[in-house]
Amino acid sequence: MAAPADSADDPSHGDGLIPARMLVVACGALAREVLALKALNGLDHVDLACLPAQLHNSPQDIPAAVRATIRANRDKYRRIAVAYADCGTGGYLDRVLAEEGVSRIPGAHCYAFFAGPESFQALEEERLGSFYLTDFLARHFRTMVIEPLGLDRHPELREVYFAHYTRLVYLAQTDDPALDKAARAAAAELGLPFEKRSTGYGLLGDFLTAAA
Protein backbone atom coordinates (compact mmCIF):
# COMPACT_ATOMS: atom_id res chain seq x y z
CA MET A 1 0.00 0.00 0.00
CA ALA A 2 1.66 3.22 -1.13
CA ALA A 3 2.34 6.01 1.35
CA PRO A 4 1.03 9.53 0.74
CA ALA A 5 3.46 11.86 -1.01
CA ASP A 6 4.09 13.95 2.09
CA SER A 7 5.54 10.96 3.92
CA ALA A 8 7.24 9.09 1.08
CA ASP A 9 10.68 9.57 2.60
CA ASP A 10 9.57 7.86 5.80
CA PRO A 11 6.59 5.67 4.97
CA SER A 12 6.25 4.14 8.41
CA HIS A 13 7.29 7.17 10.49
CA GLY A 14 9.34 4.61 12.40
CA ASP A 15 6.33 3.25 14.27
CA GLY A 16 4.69 0.85 11.81
CA LEU A 17 1.64 3.07 11.34
CA ILE A 18 0.14 3.81 7.95
CA PRO A 19 0.48 7.58 7.57
CA ALA A 20 -2.70 9.54 7.03
CA ARG A 21 -4.82 6.43 6.58
CA MET A 22 -8.10 6.11 8.40
CA LEU A 23 -10.24 3.08 9.23
CA VAL A 24 -14.02 3.18 9.32
CA VAL A 25 -15.54 0.41 11.42
CA ALA A 26 -19.04 -0.01 10.02
CA CYS A 27 -22.11 -2.14 10.20
CA GLY A 28 -22.23 -4.50 7.23
CA ALA A 29 -25.58 -2.95 6.32
CA LEU A 30 -23.68 0.23 5.38
CA ALA A 31 -20.92 -1.33 3.27
CA ARG A 32 -22.31 -0.30 -0.12
CA GLU A 33 -23.05 3.21 1.08
CA VAL A 34 -19.61 3.75 2.62
CA LEU A 35 -17.87 2.45 -0.51
CA ALA A 36 -20.05 4.65 -2.73
CA LEU A 37 -19.25 7.71 -0.63
CA LYS A 38 -15.54 6.85 -0.68
CA ALA A 39 -15.61 6.85 -4.48
CA LEU A 40 -17.83 9.93 -4.70
CA ASN A 41 -15.62 12.01 -2.41
CA GLY A 42 -12.22 10.65 -3.41
CA LEU A 43 -11.53 9.20 0.03
CA ASP A 44 -8.86 6.81 -1.20
CA HIS A 45 -7.04 6.92 2.14
CA VAL A 46 -10.07 5.51 4.00
CA ASP A 47 -10.27 1.76 4.60
CA LEU A 48 -13.39 -0.10 5.66
CA ALA A 49 -13.87 -2.89 8.19
CA CYS A 50 -17.44 -4.23 8.30
CA LEU A 51 -19.03 -6.22 11.08
CA PRO A 52 -21.89 -8.64 10.27
CA ALA A 53 -25.23 -6.93 9.75
CA GLN A 54 -26.80 -9.84 11.65
CA LEU A 55 -25.45 -8.29 14.87
CA HIS A 56 -28.60 -6.15 14.79
CA ASN A 57 -30.48 -9.26 15.84
CA SER A 58 -28.38 -9.29 19.04
CA PRO A 59 -27.47 -5.62 19.63
CA GLN A 60 -25.99 -6.41 23.03
CA ASP A 61 -23.07 -7.94 21.10
CA ILE A 62 -22.32 -4.84 19.01
CA PRO A 63 -20.19 -2.91 21.55
CA ALA A 64 -17.82 -5.80 22.21
CA ALA A 65 -17.45 -6.52 18.49
CA VAL A 66 -16.71 -2.86 17.75
CA ARG A 67 -14.20 -2.69 20.61
CA ALA A 68 -12.41 -5.81 19.38
CA THR A 69 -12.15 -4.39 15.85
CA ILE A 70 -10.81 -1.07 17.12
CA ARG A 71 -8.18 -2.77 19.25
CA ALA A 72 -7.18 -5.16 16.46
CA ASN A 73 -6.49 -2.18 14.18
CA ARG A 74 -5.30 0.55 16.53
CA ASP A 75 -1.64 -0.05 15.75
CA LYS A 76 -2.26 0.10 11.99
CA TYR A 77 -4.16 3.39 11.66
CA ARG A 78 -3.72 6.89 12.95
CA ARG A 79 -7.46 7.49 12.93
CA ILE A 80 -10.45 5.24 13.47
CA ALA A 81 -14.11 6.24 13.22
CA VAL A 82 -17.24 4.15 13.76
CA ALA A 83 -20.17 4.14 11.34
CA TYR A 84 -22.70 2.78 13.79
CA ALA A 85 -25.51 4.63 15.49
CA ASP A 86 -26.53 3.45 18.95
CA CYS A 87 -28.39 0.62 17.18
CA GLY A 88 -30.22 -0.67 20.23
CA THR A 89 -27.21 -0.93 22.54
CA GLY A 90 -28.83 1.30 25.16
CA GLY A 91 -25.88 3.68 25.31
CA TYR A 92 -23.32 0.97 25.94
CA LEU A 93 -21.67 1.49 22.55
CA ASP A 94 -21.05 5.12 23.49
CA ARG A 95 -19.43 4.07 26.74
CA VAL A 96 -17.12 1.70 24.87
CA LEU A 97 -16.20 4.37 22.31
CA ALA A 98 -15.50 6.91 25.06
CA GLU A 99 -13.11 4.41 26.65
CA GLU A 100 -11.44 3.78 23.29
CA GLY A 101 -11.30 7.47 22.30
CA VAL A 102 -13.22 6.91 19.05
CA SER A 103 -16.22 8.82 17.68
CA ARG A 104 -19.30 7.52 15.88
CA ILE A 105 -21.97 8.92 13.62
CA PRO A 106 -24.70 10.59 15.71
CA GLY A 107 -28.16 9.11 16.01
CA ALA A 108 -30.16 6.29 17.52
CA HIS A 109 -30.18 4.17 14.34
CA CYS A 110 -29.47 4.31 10.62
CA TYR A 111 -33.03 5.42 9.82
CA ALA A 112 -32.41 8.63 11.74
CA PHE A 113 -29.04 9.45 10.20
CA PHE A 114 -30.21 8.63 6.69
CA ALA A 115 -33.38 10.71 6.98
CA GLY A 116 -31.78 13.37 9.18
CA PRO A 117 -32.89 13.80 12.80
CA GLU A 118 -35.52 16.45 12.16
CA SER A 119 -37.03 14.68 9.16
CA PHE A 120 -37.07 11.37 10.99
CA GLN A 121 -38.76 12.94 13.99
CA ALA A 122 -41.36 14.43 11.65
CA LEU A 123 -41.96 10.97 10.17
CA GLU A 124 -42.47 9.53 13.63
CA GLU A 125 -44.90 12.27 14.61
CA GLU A 126 -46.74 12.08 11.29
CA ARG A 127 -47.98 8.56 12.01
CA LEU A 128 -47.29 6.15 14.81
CA GLY A 129 -46.29 2.59 14.00
CA SER A 130 -44.00 2.98 10.99
CA PHE A 131 -41.83 0.06 9.92
CA TYR A 132 -38.72 1.28 8.10
CA LEU A 133 -36.62 -0.18 5.32
CA THR A 134 -33.31 1.06 3.92
CA ASP A 135 -31.74 -0.05 0.65
CA PHE A 136 -29.96 -2.81 2.55
CA LEU A 137 -33.12 -4.07 4.21
CA ALA A 138 -35.08 -3.92 0.96
CA ARG A 139 -32.33 -5.99 -0.66
CA HIS A 140 -32.10 -8.50 2.22
CA PHE A 141 -35.65 -8.41 3.57
CA ARG A 142 -36.01 -12.17 3.71
CA THR A 143 -32.74 -12.91 5.51
CA MET A 144 -32.87 -9.89 7.84
CA VAL A 145 -36.59 -9.79 8.69
CA ILE A 146 -38.66 -12.76 7.54
CA GLU A 147 -36.31 -15.58 8.54
CA PRO A 148 -35.08 -14.17 11.90
CA LEU A 149 -38.72 -13.64 12.96
CA GLY A 150 -39.64 -17.14 11.84
CA LEU A 151 -42.27 -15.85 9.42
CA ASP A 152 -41.05 -18.22 6.71
CA ARG A 153 -42.02 -21.14 8.97
CA HIS A 154 -44.95 -19.57 10.82
CA PRO A 155 -46.56 -16.90 8.64
CA GLU A 156 -49.43 -16.64 11.12
CA LEU A 157 -47.05 -14.78 13.45
CA ARG A 158 -47.22 -11.80 11.14
CA GLU A 159 -50.44 -10.70 12.82
CA VAL A 160 -48.71 -10.86 16.20
CA TYR A 161 -45.50 -9.04 15.26
CA PHE A 162 -47.04 -6.37 13.04
CA ALA A 163 -50.48 -5.85 14.57
CA HIS A 164 -49.64 -2.31 15.67
CA TYR A 165 -47.73 -1.17 12.58
CA THR A 166 -49.59 1.22 10.31
CA ARG A 167 -47.29 1.54 7.29
CA LEU A 168 -43.95 0.54 5.75
CA VAL A 169 -41.69 3.48 4.92
CA TYR A 170 -38.84 2.85 2.49
CA LEU A 171 -36.02 5.32 3.16
CA ALA A 172 -34.22 5.06 -0.17
CA GLN A 173 -30.52 5.84 -0.47
CA THR A 174 -30.54 5.31 -4.24
CA ASP A 175 -33.02 5.48 -7.10
CA ASP A 176 -33.18 1.82 -8.01
CA PRO A 177 -36.37 0.38 -9.57
CA ALA A 178 -35.41 -3.12 -8.44
CA LEU A 179 -35.20 -1.98 -4.82
CA ASP A 180 -38.46 -0.07 -5.16
CA LYS A 181 -40.08 -3.30 -6.31
CA ALA A 182 -38.50 -5.26 -3.45
CA ALA A 183 -39.64 -2.70 -0.87
CA ARG A 184 -43.18 -2.74 -2.24
CA ALA A 185 -43.18 -6.52 -2.11
CA ALA A 186 -42.01 -6.37 1.51
CA ALA A 187 -44.89 -4.05 2.40
CA ALA A 188 -47.34 -6.38 0.69
CA GLU A 189 -45.91 -9.39 2.51
CA LEU A 190 -46.42 -7.61 5.85
CA GLY A 191 -49.83 -6.34 4.84
CA LEU A 192 -48.84 -2.70 5.30
CA PRO A 193 -49.39 0.42 3.18
CA PHE A 194 -46.23 1.43 1.31
CA GLU A 195 -44.52 4.82 1.29
CA LYS A 196 -41.17 5.85 -0.13
CA ARG A 197 -38.99 8.73 1.02
CA SER A 198 -35.76 9.44 -0.87
CA THR A 199 -33.07 10.32 1.66
CA GLY A 200 -29.81 9.81 -0.21
CA TYR A 201 -26.93 9.10 2.15
CA GLY A 202 -28.10 11.58 4.79
CA LEU A 203 -25.59 12.36 7.51
CA LEU A 204 -23.31 9.48 6.54
CA GLY A 205 -21.52 11.48 3.85
CA ASP A 206 -20.93 14.45 6.15
CA PHE A 207 -19.65 12.13 8.88
CA LEU A 208 -17.16 10.38 6.59
CA THR A 209 -15.78 13.54 5.01
CA ALA A 210 -15.47 15.29 8.38
CA ALA A 211 -13.75 12.30 9.97
CA ALA A 212 -11.40 11.86 7.03
Side-chain angles (χ1 to χ4, degrees):
M1 186 176 294
D6 61 3
S7 59
D9 292 337
D10 185 10
S12 70
H13 283 210
D15 56 10
L17 299 180
I18 301 173
R21 295 205 70 81
M22 178 181 125
L23 179 69
V24 174
V25 180
C27 172
L30 301 178
R32 285 175 180 253
E33 288 73 22
V34 173
L35 291 174
L37 286 163
K38 274 189 57 177
L40 184 65
N41 294 292
L43 302 178
D44 297 332
H45 62 292
V46 174
D47 294 334
L48 176 63
C50 282
L51 300 180
Q54 285 79 6
L55 281 172
H56 282 288
N57 294 328
S58 55
Q60 70 275 8
D61 297 328
I62 292 174
V66 171
R67 189 199 295 274
T69 307
I70 291 170
R71 291 186 174 181
N73 288 280
R74 191 181 295 283
D75 292 340
K76 304 173 188 176
Y77 292 89
R78 293 188 177 277
R79 286 172 290 172
I80 297 177
V82 169
Y84 265 95
D86 178 75
C87 297
T89 70
Y92 187 61
L93 178 59
D94 284 334
R95 291 196 288 275
V96 164
L97 296 181
E99 292 167 3
E100 299 297 331
V102 173
S103 63
R104 70 167 174 88
I105 191 169
H109 37 62
C110 60
Y111 313 127
F113 68 66
F114 278 139
E118 292 183 1
S119 295
F120 183 78
Q121 185 61 35
L123 275 172
E124 289 284 86
E125 293 174 356
E126 179 182 294
R127 185 187 300 182
L128 296 177
S130 297
F131 184 84
Y132 296 98
L133 292 185
T134 60
D135 281 9
F136 175 85
L137 286 174
R139 189 177 289 113
H140 299 286
F141 182 71
R142 184 148 299 274
T143 56
M144 293 299 297
V145 179
I146 296 298
E147 292 174 5
L149 292 178
L151 294 176
D152 54 330
R153 303 180 302 279
H154 301 285
E156 69 277 6
L157 292 176
R158 186 190 73 179
E159 303 304 323
V160 176
Y161 291 139
F162 295 93
H164 299 293
Y165 284 95
T166 58
R167 63 177 175 175
L168 182 147
V169 181
Y170 171 33
L171 303 175
Q173 285 69 72
T174 57
D175 185 14
D176 185 332
L179 291 181
D180 287 353
K181 182 178 179 180
R184 288 182 181 277
E189 187 163 5
L190 299 182
L192 296 173
F194 174 81
E195 295 183 23
K196 177 183 175 181
R197 306 293 174 95
S198 295
T199 67
Y201 298 119
L203 301 182
L204 184 59
D206 292 340
F207 172 74
L208 290 177
T209 54

Short mmCIF file of all heavy atoms in Angstrom, two decimals, residues 132-170:
data_model
loop_
_atom_site.label_atom_id
_atom_site.label_comp_id
_atom_site.label_asym_id
_atom_site.label_seq_id
_atom_site.Cartn_x
_atom_site.Cartn_y
_atom_site.Cartn_z
N TYR A 132 -39.63 0.65 9.05
CA TYR A 132 -38.72 1.28 8.10
C TYR A 132 -37.84 0.26 7.38
O TYR A 132 -37.39 -0.73 7.97
CB TYR A 132 -37.82 2.29 8.81
CG TYR A 132 -38.59 3.45 9.41
CD1 TYR A 132 -38.93 3.45 10.76
CD2 TYR A 132 -38.99 4.53 8.62
CE1 TYR A 132 -39.64 4.50 11.32
CE2 TYR A 132 -39.70 5.58 9.17
CZ TYR A 132 -40.04 5.56 10.51
OH TYR A 132 -40.75 6.60 11.05
N LEU A 133 -37.60 0.55 6.11
CA LEU A 133 -36.62 -0.18 5.32
C LEU A 133 -35.60 0.80 4.78
O LEU A 133 -35.94 1.94 4.44
CB LEU A 133 -37.26 -0.89 4.13
CG LEU A 133 -38.20 -2.06 4.35
CD1 LEU A 133 -38.61 -2.64 3.00
CD2 LEU A 133 -37.58 -3.12 5.23
N THR A 134 -34.35 0.36 4.67
CA THR A 134 -33.31 1.06 3.92
C THR A 134 -33.04 0.26 2.66
O THR A 134 -33.63 -0.80 2.44
CB THR A 134 -32.03 1.15 4.75
OG1 THR A 134 -31.59 -0.19 5.06
CG2 THR A 134 -32.26 1.93 6.06
N ASP A 135 -32.12 0.73 1.83
CA ASP A 135 -31.74 -0.05 0.65
C ASP A 135 -31.29 -1.45 1.06
O ASP A 135 -31.66 -2.45 0.43
CB ASP A 135 -30.60 0.64 -0.10
CG ASP A 135 -31.07 1.80 -0.97
OD1 ASP A 135 -32.25 2.19 -0.87
OD2 ASP A 135 -30.25 2.30 -1.75
N PHE A 136 -30.48 -1.52 2.11
CA PHE A 136 -29.96 -2.81 2.55
C PHE A 136 -31.10 -3.74 2.95
O PHE A 136 -31.13 -4.92 2.57
CB PHE A 136 -28.99 -2.63 3.71
CG PHE A 136 -28.50 -3.92 4.29
CD1 PHE A 136 -27.42 -4.58 3.72
CD2 PHE A 136 -29.13 -4.49 5.39
CE1 PHE A 136 -26.97 -5.79 4.25
CE2 PHE A 136 -28.69 -5.70 5.91
CZ PHE A 136 -27.61 -6.35 5.34
N LEU A 137 -32.03 -3.23 3.74
CA LEU A 137 -33.12 -4.07 4.21
C LEU A 137 -34.08 -4.45 3.08
O LEU A 137 -34.65 -5.55 3.10
CB LEU A 137 -33.87 -3.38 5.35
CG LEU A 137 -33.12 -3.35 6.69
CD1 LEU A 137 -33.89 -2.52 7.69
CD2 LEU A 137 -32.90 -4.76 7.22
N ALA A 138 -34.26 -3.56 2.13
CA ALA A 138 -35.08 -3.92 0.96
C ALA A 138 -34.41 -5.06 0.19
O ALA A 138 -35.07 -6.00 -0.28
CB ALA A 138 -35.28 -2.71 0.06
N ARG A 139 -33.09 -4.99 0.09
CA ARG A 139 -32.33 -5.99 -0.66
C ARG A 139 -32.30 -7.34 0.08
O ARG A 139 -32.27 -8.40 -0.54
CB ARG A 139 -30.91 -5.46 -0.88
CG ARG A 139 -30.05 -6.27 -1.81
CD ARG A 139 -28.69 -5.62 -2.00
NE ARG A 139 -28.78 -4.40 -2.80
CZ ARG A 139 -28.55 -3.17 -2.33
NH1 ARG A 139 -28.22 -2.99 -1.06
NH2 ARG A 139 -28.67 -2.13 -3.12
N HIS A 140 -32.28 -7.27 1.42
CA HIS A 140 -32.10 -8.50 2.22
C HIS A 140 -33.29 -8.71 3.16
O HIS A 140 -33.11 -9.22 4.27
CB HIS A 140 -30.81 -8.40 3.03
CG HIS A 140 -29.58 -8.27 2.19
ND1 HIS A 140 -29.05 -9.32 1.47
CD2 HIS A 140 -28.79 -7.19 1.92
CE1 HIS A 140 -27.97 -8.90 0.81
NE2 HIS A 140 -27.80 -7.62 1.06
N PHE A 141 -34.47 -8.35 2.71
CA PHE A 141 -35.65 -8.41 3.57
C PHE A 141 -35.90 -9.81 4.11
O PHE A 141 -36.20 -10.00 5.29
CB PHE A 141 -36.87 -7.93 2.79
CG PHE A 141 -38.13 -7.90 3.59
CD1 PHE A 141 -38.33 -6.97 4.59
CD2 PHE A 141 -39.15 -8.83 3.33
CE1 PHE A 141 -39.49 -6.96 5.34
CE2 PHE A 141 -40.32 -8.81 4.06
CZ PHE A 141 -40.49 -7.87 5.07
N ARG A 142 -35.72 -10.81 3.26
CA ARG A 142 -36.01 -12.17 3.71
C ARG A 142 -35.03 -12.63 4.78
O ARG A 142 -35.43 -13.19 5.81
CB ARG A 142 -35.99 -13.14 2.52
CG ARG A 142 -36.37 -14.56 2.86
CD ARG A 142 -37.08 -15.24 1.72
NE ARG A 142 -38.32 -14.54 1.38
CZ ARG A 142 -39.48 -14.78 1.98
NH1 ARG A 142 -39.56 -15.68 2.94
NH2 ARG A 142 -40.55 -14.11 1.62
N THR A 143 -33.73 -12.39 4.56
CA THR A 143 -32.74 -12.91 5.51
C THR A 143 -32.61 -12.05 6.76
O THR A 143 -32.16 -12.54 7.79
CB THR A 143 -31.35 -13.02 4.84
OG1 THR A 143 -30.98 -11.74 4.30
CG2 THR A 143 -31.37 -14.04 3.73
N MET A 144 -33.01 -10.77 6.68
CA MET A 144 -32.87 -9.89 7.84
C MET A 144 -34.17 -9.71 8.63
O MET A 144 -34.13 -9.30 9.79
CB MET A 144 -32.35 -8.52 7.40
CG MET A 144 -30.93 -8.54 6.87
SD MET A 144 -29.69 -9.10 8.08
CE MET A 144 -29.84 -7.81 9.34
N VAL A 145 -35.31 -9.99 8.00
CA VAL A 145 -36.59 -9.79 8.69
C VAL A 145 -37.41 -11.07 8.74
O VAL A 145 -37.73 -11.57 9.82
CB VAL A 145 -37.41 -8.66 8.01
CG1 VAL A 145 -38.76 -8.48 8.72
CG2 VAL A 145 -36.64 -7.34 8.02
N ILE A 146 -37.74 -11.62 7.59
CA ILE A 146 -38.66 -12.76 7.54
C ILE A 146 -38.10 -13.98 8.27
O ILE A 146 -38.76 -14.56 9.14
CB ILE A 146 -39.00 -13.12 6.08
CG1 ILE A 146 -39.76 -11.97 5.41
CG2 ILE A 146 -39.82 -14.41 6.03
CD1 ILE A 146 -41.08 -11.64 6.04
N GLU A 147 -36.87 -14.36 7.94
CA GLU A 147 -36.31 -15.58 8.54
C GLU A 147 -35.98 -15.42 10.02
O GLU A 147 -36.31 -16.32 10.82
CB GLU A 147 -35.09 -16.03 7.73
CG GLU A 147 -35.46 -16.53 6.34
CD GLU A 147 -34.25 -16.85 5.48
OE1 GLU A 147 -33.11 -16.78 5.99
OE2 GLU A 147 -34.44 -17.17 4.28
N PRO A 148 -35.35 -14.31 10.46
CA PRO A 148 -35.08 -14.17 11.90
C PRO A 148 -36.35 -14.17 12.75
O PRO A 148 -36.33 -14.64 13.89
CB PRO A 148 -34.35 -12.83 12.00
CG PRO A 148 -33.71 -12.66 10.68
CD PRO A 148 -34.69 -13.24 9.70
N LEU A 149 -37.45 -13.65 12.21
CA LEU A 149 -38.72 -13.64 12.96
C LEU A 149 -39.49 -14.95 12.83
O LEU A 149 -40.53 -15.12 13.46
CB LEU A 149 -39.60 -12.47 12.47
CG LEU A 149 -39.11 -11.07 12.80
CD1 LEU A 149 -40.05 -10.03 12.21
CD2 LEU A 149 -38.99 -10.87 14.32
N GLY A 150 -38.98 -15.85 12.01
CA GLY A 150 -39.64 -17.14 11.84
C GLY A 150 -40.89 -17.09 10.98
O GLY A 150 -41.67 -18.05 10.96
N LEU A 151 -41.06 -15.99 10.23
CA LEU A 151 -42.27 -15.85 9.42
C LEU A 151 -42.27 -16.77 8.20
O LEU A 151 -43.33 -17.03 7.63
CB LEU A 151 -42.43 -14.40 8.97
CG LEU A 151 -42.69 -13.40 10.11
CD1 LEU A 151 -42.73 -11.99 9.56
CD2 LEU A 151 -43.99 -13.73 10.83
N ASP A 152 -41.10 -17.26 7.81
CA ASP A 152 -41.05 -18.22 6.71
C ASP A 152 -41.63 -19.57 7.14
O ASP A 152 -42.18 -20.31 6.33
CB ASP A 152 -39.62 -18.39 6.21
CG ASP A 152 -38.64 -18.75 7.33
OD1 ASP A 152 -38.86 -18.34 8.49
OD2 ASP A 152 -37.64 -19.44 7.05
N ARG A 153 -41.51 -19.87 8.44
CA ARG A 153 -42.02 -21.14 8.97
C ARG A 153 -43.41 -21.00 9.59
O ARG A 153 -44.20 -21.93 9.59
CB ARG A 153 -41.05 -21.69 10.01
CG ARG A 153 -39.63 -21.90 9.48
CD ARG A 153 -38.69 -22.44 10.52
NE ARG A 153 -38.59 -21.60 11.71
CZ ARG A 153 -37.83 -20.52 11.78
NH1 ARG A 153 -37.10 -20.13 10.73
NH2 ARG A 153 -37.76 -19.80 12.89
N HIS A 154 -43.67 -19.80 10.13
CA HIS A 154 -44.95 -19.57 10.82
C HIS A 154 -45.52 -18.22 10.37
O HIS A 154 -45.49 -17.24 11.11
CB HIS A 154 -44.74 -19.58 12.35
CG HIS A 154 -44.18 -20.86 12.87
ND1 HIS A 154 -44.93 -22.00 12.99
CD2 HIS A 154 -42.92 -21.17 13.30
CE1 HIS A 154 -44.17 -22.98 13.47
NE2 HIS A 154 -42.95 -22.50 13.66
N PRO A 155 -46.04 -18.16 9.16
CA PRO A 155 -46.56 -16.90 8.64
C PRO A 155 -47.69 -16.32 9.48
O PRO A 155 -47.94 -15.11 9.43
CB PRO A 155 -47.04 -17.26 7.23
CG PRO A 155 -47.19 -18.74 7.23
CD PRO A 155 -46.18 -19.26 8.18
N GLU A 156 -48.35 -17.15 10.27
CA GLU A 156 -49.43 -16.64 11.12
C GLU A 156 -48.93 -15.67 12.18
O GLU A 156 -49.71 -14.87 12.74
CB GLU A 156 -50.18 -17.81 11.78
CG GLU A 156 -49.40 -18.58 12.84
CD GLU A 156 -48.46 -19.65 12.27
OE1 GLU A 156 -48.32 -19.73 11.03
OE2 GLU A 156 -47.88 -20.39 13.09
N LEU A 157 -47.62 -15.71 12.46
CA LEU A 157 -47.05 -14.78 13.45
C LEU A 157 -47.01 -13.34 12.96
O LEU A 157 -46.80 -12.43 13.74
CB LEU A 157 -45.64 -15.24 13.83
CG LEU A 157 -45.54 -16.54 14.62
CD1 LEU A 157 -44.07 -16.91 14.84
CD2 LEU A 157 -46.25 -16.41 15.96
N ARG A 158 -47.21 -13.16 11.67
CA ARG A 158 -47.22 -11.80 11.14
C ARG A 158 -48.22 -10.92 11.87
O ARG A 158 -47.95 -9.76 12.18
CB ARG A 158 -47.55 -11.83 9.65
CG ARG A 158 -47.45 -10.47 8.97
CD ARG A 158 -48.02 -10.51 7.57
NE ARG A 158 -49.49 -10.57 7.62
CZ ARG A 158 -50.27 -10.59 6.54
NH1 ARG A 158 -49.73 -10.60 5.34
NH2 ARG A 158 -51.58 -10.64 6.66
N GLU A 159 -49.39 -11.47 12.15
CA GLU A 159 -50.44 -10.70 12.82
C GLU A 159 -50.05 -10.34 14.25
O GLU A 159 -50.52 -9.34 14.79
CB GLU A 159 -51.76 -11.49 12.82
CG GLU A 159 -52.25 -11.89 11.44
CD GLU A 159 -52.40 -10.68 10.54
OE1 GLU A 159 -52.81 -9.61 11.02
OE2 GLU A 159 -52.10 -10.81 9.33
N VAL A 160 -49.18 -11.15 14.85
CA VAL A 160 -48.71 -10.86 16.20
C VAL A 160 -47.64 -9.77 16.17
O VAL A 160 -47.71 -8.77 16.88
CB VAL A 160 -48.15 -12.13 16.87
CG1 VAL A 160 -47.57 -11.81 18.25
CG2 VAL A 160 -49.23 -13.20 16.96
N TYR A 161 -46.63 -9.96 15.30
CA TYR A 161 -45.50 -9.04 15.26
C TYR A 161 -45.89 -7.66 14.73
O TYR A 161 -45.35 -6.64 15.17
CB TYR A 161 -44.39 -9.60 14.38
CG TYR A 161 -43.68 -10.81 14.93
CD1 TYR A 161 -43.34 -11.88 14.10
CD2 TYR A 161 -43.35 -10.91 16.28
CE1 TYR A 161 -42.68 -13.00 14.59
CE2 TYR A 161 -42.70 -12.02 16.77
CZ TYR A 161 -42.36 -13.06 15.93
OH TYR A 161 -41.71 -14.16 16.41
N PHE A 162 -46.79 -7.62 13.76
CA PHE A 162 -47.04 -6.37 13.04
C PHE A 162 -48.45 -5.81 13.26
O PHE A 162 -48.89 -4.93 12.52
CB PHE A 162 -46.78 -6.57 11.54
CG PHE A 162 -45.34 -6.86 11.25
CD1 PHE A 162 -44.88 -8.17 11.16
CD2 PHE A 162 -44.42 -5.83 11.09
CE1 PHE A 162 -43.53 -8.43 10.92
CE2 PHE A 162 -43.09 -6.09 10.85
CZ PHE A 162 -42.64 -7.39 10.77
N ALA A 163 -49.10 -6.28 14.31
CA ALA A 163 -50.48 -5.85 14.57
C ALA A 163 -50.59 -4.35 14.77
O ALA A 163 -51.62 -3.75 14.42
CB ALA A 163 -51.03 -6.60 15.79
N HIS A 164 -49.55 -3.73 15.33
CA HIS A 164 -49.64 -2.31 15.67
C HIS A 164 -48.87 -1.41 14.69
O HIS A 164 -48.76 -0.21 14.93
CB HIS A 164 -49.14 -2.08 17.10
CG HIS A 164 -49.94 -2.83 18.12
ND1 HIS A 164 -51.26 -2.54 18.39
CD2 HIS A 164 -49.63 -3.90 18.90
CE1 HIS A 164 -51.71 -3.36 19.31
NE2 HIS A 164 -50.74 -4.20 19.63
N TYR A 165 -48.36 -1.99 13.62
CA TYR A 165 -47.73 -1.17 12.58
C TYR A 165 -48.80 -0.64 11.63
O TYR A 165 -49.79 -1.33 11.34
CB TYR A 165 -46.68 -1.97 11.82
CG TYR A 165 -45.39 -2.17 12.59
CD1 TYR A 165 -45.18 -3.32 13.35
CD2 TYR A 165 -44.41 -1.19 12.57
CE1 TYR A 165 -44.00 -3.49 14.06
CE2 TYR A 165 -43.22 -1.36 13.28
CZ TYR A 165 -43.04 -2.51 14.02
OH TYR A 165 -41.88 -2.67 14.73
N THR A 166 -48.58 0.58 11.16
CA THR A 166 -49.59 1.22 10.31
C THR A 166 -49.11 1.47 8.89
O THR A 166 -49.92 1.78 8.01
CB THR A 166 -50.01 2.57 10.91
OG1 THR A 166 -48.84 3.41 11.05
CG2 THR A 166 -50.66 2.37 12.28
N ARG A 167 -47.81 1.34 8.63
CA ARG A 167 -47.29 1.54 7.29
C ARG A 167 -45.84 1.05 7.22
O ARG A 167 -45.17 0.91 8.25
CB ARG A 167 -47.32 3.03 6.88
CG ARG A 167 -46.44 3.91 7.76
CD ARG A 167 -46.44 5.35 7.29
NE ARG A 167 -45.67 6.19 8.22
CZ ARG A 167 -45.42 7.48 8.04
NH1 ARG A 167 -45.87 8.10 6.96
NH2 ARG A 167 -44.73 8.17 8.93
N LEU A 168 -45.37 0.80 6.00
CA LEU A 168 -43.95 0.54 5.75
C LEU A 168 -43.40 1.74 5.00
O LEU A 168 -43.94 2.13 3.96
CB LEU A 168 -43.76 -0.74 4.94
CG LEU A 168 -42.31 -1.14 4.66
CD1 LEU A 168 -42.17 -2.67 4.61
CD2 LEU A 168 -41.79 -0.55 3.35
N VAL A 169 -42.32 2.32 5.53
CA VAL A 169 -41.69 3.48 4.92
C VAL A 169 -40.31 3.06 4.41
O VAL A 169 -39.45 2.66 5.19
CB VAL A 169 -41.54 4.65 5.90
CG1 VAL A 169 -40.90 5.86 5.21
CG2 VAL A 169 -42.89 5.04 6.48
N TYR A 170 -40.14 3.16 3.11
CA TYR A 170 -38.84 2.85 2.49
C TYR A 170 -38.03 4.12 2.40
O TYR A 170 -38.36 5.04 1.66
CB TYR A 170 -39.09 2.25 1.11
CG TYR A 170 -37.86 2.06 0.25
CD1 TYR A 170 -36.61 1.74 0.80
CD2 TYR A 170 -37.95 2.19 -1.14
CE1 TYR A 170 -35.50 1.56 0.00
CE2 TYR A 170 -36.84 2.00 -1.95
CZ TYR A 170 -35.62 1.69 -1.38
OH TYR A 170 -34.51 1.53 -2.17
#
